[in-house]
Amino acid sequence: MPTPAHSSRSPTDHRPQTTSLLAWYRAHRRDLPWRRTRDPYRIWVSEIMLQQTRVDTVIPYYERFLRALPDLQALAAAPEQALLKLWEGLGYYRRARHLQAAAKRIVHDLDGCVPATAAGWRELPGIGDYTAAAIASIAQNEPVPVVDGNVLRVAARVWGLTDDIALPRTREQIRTRLQALMDNTPAAHAAPGDFNQALMELGALVCIPGDSPRCAECPLQPDCIACRDDRTAELPVKARRRAVPHYHVAVGIVRRGNSILVQKRPAAKMLGGLWEFPGGKLQSGETPAAALRRELCEEIGLEVIDAEPLGIVAHAYSHFRVTIHAFLVIAPSRFRARPTAADEARWVTPAALPLLPMPAATLRILALLEKNALAR
Ligand code: SF4
């Protein structure tokens, strides 16, 4: 780690701590599939999948994705629905769209050559400072620091920083200090990918959130202000997030004979291109059944005669939570859906439903539906 603000040491005095950190990482790092390669494409895919998503969740998605789309050319040429199906359940689907848009740009505009620097990666859709630095340092050995939540926590504790780490200026301050460390410490400069991953791994495994980091196991402990001053519970400082809104939603699994109606969400909206059952938010004072009747009338032109409750599903997105009230609805045999809030409506058999890419909450309703069918 770089020279702490309280110290009169020069940056090079901290070589032992940097060396200890790298030695710790090489001895303790988790064996993850993306750590067995230096292929920029594979590291890029892993970094995009890991945004907002746990390592354990990402591993099977990563392996399946690369089996189906093993290189840039395959990703650029993949049909959108196949891409969304590979991403189904991982959430934040814009990541998949940006990944493909960037792959197309590399294949069509850059002769298939990936950017050689973090600055070049940042020019591509869906790649910000963190991802650009991660790919360039890990796959291409460029000495640029990464700053993610784990790194912010470790840095705030080691340096005893009391600024709010949620603020962009704190993030920038830490990035500048890390860059100075990298530039002044040969071990970090020579292995920037390992150095960056070491800090992130330390934050994930040892300098964990909450009031009980594992300081006794930490290679940075000799230089850590938070540990020295017994302030690990109060650092890092992070502003409390505002309460997350919570919505109630009513949806109908509308059957006509042996087919079920699904709608494709508009491409420009959240979860665009994914398929779901028609429905929408409850208005103030509305019951789920009343909301269902109103929504199905507005969205597909169906007058609901009879609706049977199927079950309730709760789901959390990054910035809101939903409770979904699902109903079984029988449509008249001559009913033709007129979608007003979707790109497309389609009648599919229950067996064909799992072939369509769907949001995680819709998949859970599907599971309820299967359970219900088995119970009958
Ligand atoms: S000594 Fe403790 S608080 Fe300091 S970096 Fe290590 S784990 Fe975090």
Side-chain angles (χ1 to χ4, degrees):
M1 290 294 290
T3 308
H6 73 292
S7 170
S8 59
R9 294 177 179 185
S10 77
T12 49
D13 291 335
H14 284 264
R15 284 181 200 173
Q17 281 73 44
T18 305
T19 307
S20 303
L21 175 66
L22 286 167
W24 173 86
Y25 173 66
R26 288 163 185 156
H28 297 281
R29 66 183 166 192
R30 289 166 290 178
D31 178 27
L32 302 173
W34 44 89
R35 287 188 177 153
R36 299 175 208 140
T37 179
R38 297 287 296 272
D39 178 352
Y41 171 66
R42 288 172 178 251
I43 288 167
W44 174 25
V45 170
S46 74
E47 288 297 339
I48 298 294
M49 286 187 169
L50 285 164
Q51 292 169 7
Q52 322 273 352
T53 312
R54 290 164 50 88
V55 165
D56 292 351
T57 305
V58 166
I59 291 173
Y61 279 94
Y62 172 83
E63 290 177 333
R64 192 168 57 123
F65 190 95
L66 289 175
R67 270 197 304 276
L69 307 173
D71 53 37
L72 269 171
Q73 286 68 21
L75 171 57
E80 187 197 57
Q81 290 286 294
L83 176 69
L84 293 175
K85 191 69 189 166
L86 286 168
W87 210 270
E88 183 185 78
L90 204 50
Y92 304 97
Y93 293 86
R94 192 175 296 178
R95 296 181 296 177
R97 293 179 190 288
H98 279 151
L99 194 62
Q100 188 174 47
K104 284 181 177 171
R105 196 180 294 174
I106 294 169
V107 168
H108 301 308
D109 300 345
L110 304 175
D111 289 333
C113 298
V114 297
T117 63
W121 283 101
R122 252 194 315 271
E123 298 290 310
L124 294 171
I127 300 190
D129 289 345
Y130 165 79
T131 307
I135 302 167
S137 63
I138 297 167
Q140 297 161 316
N141 227 34
E142 184 180 352
V144 284
V146 299
V147 181
D148 73 347
N150 284 324
V151 173
L152 286 169
R153 183 170 57 258
V154 174
R157 284 174 169 165
V158 170
W159 291 324
L161 301 178
T162 53
D163 294 325
D164 179 356
I165 60 163
L167 294 175
R169 70 163 183 270
T170 312
R171 182 176 286 255
E172 188 50 31
Q173 184 191 11
I174 289 173
R175 201 199 64 75
T176 303
R177 285 178 175 225
L178 289 171
Q179 186 69 66
L181 173 72
M182 238 180 210
D183 292 344
N184 286 292
T185 312
H189 199 269
D194 276 4
F195 177 74
N196 283 332
Q197 291 183 92
L199 278 180
M200 292 191 280
E201 194 78 335
L202 191 75
L205 302 181
V206 175
C207 193
I208 51 179
D211 54 10
S212 304
R214 303 183 177 119
C215 300
E217 303 165 28
C218 180
L220 301 179
Q221 193 267 343
D223 231 9
C224 178
I225 292 178
C227 185
R228 183 196 69 189
D229 296 348
D230 197 19
R231 290 164 59 208
T232 54
E234 67 195 67
L235 294 176
V237 173
K238 194 173 179 188
R240 214 179 261 274
R241 291 177 67 177
R242 269 182 289 167
V244 178
H246 180 197
Y247 305 112
H248 283 264
V249 167
V251 301
I253 292 100
V254 180
R255 290 195 84 122
R256 192 188 65 185
N258 188 35
S259 296
I260 291 173
L261 184 70
V262 281
Q263 301 197 114
K264 191 176 176 190
R265 289 182 62 83
K269 289 206 164 180
M270 182 184 162
L271 307 174
L274 299 183
W275 295 80
E276 63 180 8
F277 302 113
K281 278 185 210 163
L282 272 63
Q283 293 178 353
S284 176
E286 207 172 30
T287 64
L292 179 81
R293 285 190 167 78
R294 178 182 51 72
E295 285 285 342
L296 293 197
C297 185
E298 288 170 6
E299 277 201 357
I300 55 173
L302 177 66
E303 301 281 347
V304 176
I305 307 296
D306 195 21
E308 178 191 335
L310 173 68
I312 293 175
V313 163
H315 190 70
Y317 293 95
S318 59
H319 49 294
F320 66 92
R321 292 183 297 128
V322 284
T323 298
I324 303 173
H325 305 259
F327 293 85
L328 293 169
V329 178
I330 304 296
S333 58
R334 282 173 300 162
F335 172 68
R336 297 284 173 271
R338 299 186 305 275
T340 59
D343 275 358
E344 187 185 338
R346 196 184 284 181
W347 295 96
V348 294
T349 61
L353 276 174
L355 302 177
L356 298 171
M358 292 178 167
T362 305
L363 289 173
R364 290 164 74 177
I365 297 170
L366 212 52
L368 277 182
L369 189 63
E370 280 165 14
K371 215 164 126 191
N372 180 272
L374 287 174
R376 283 169 182 240

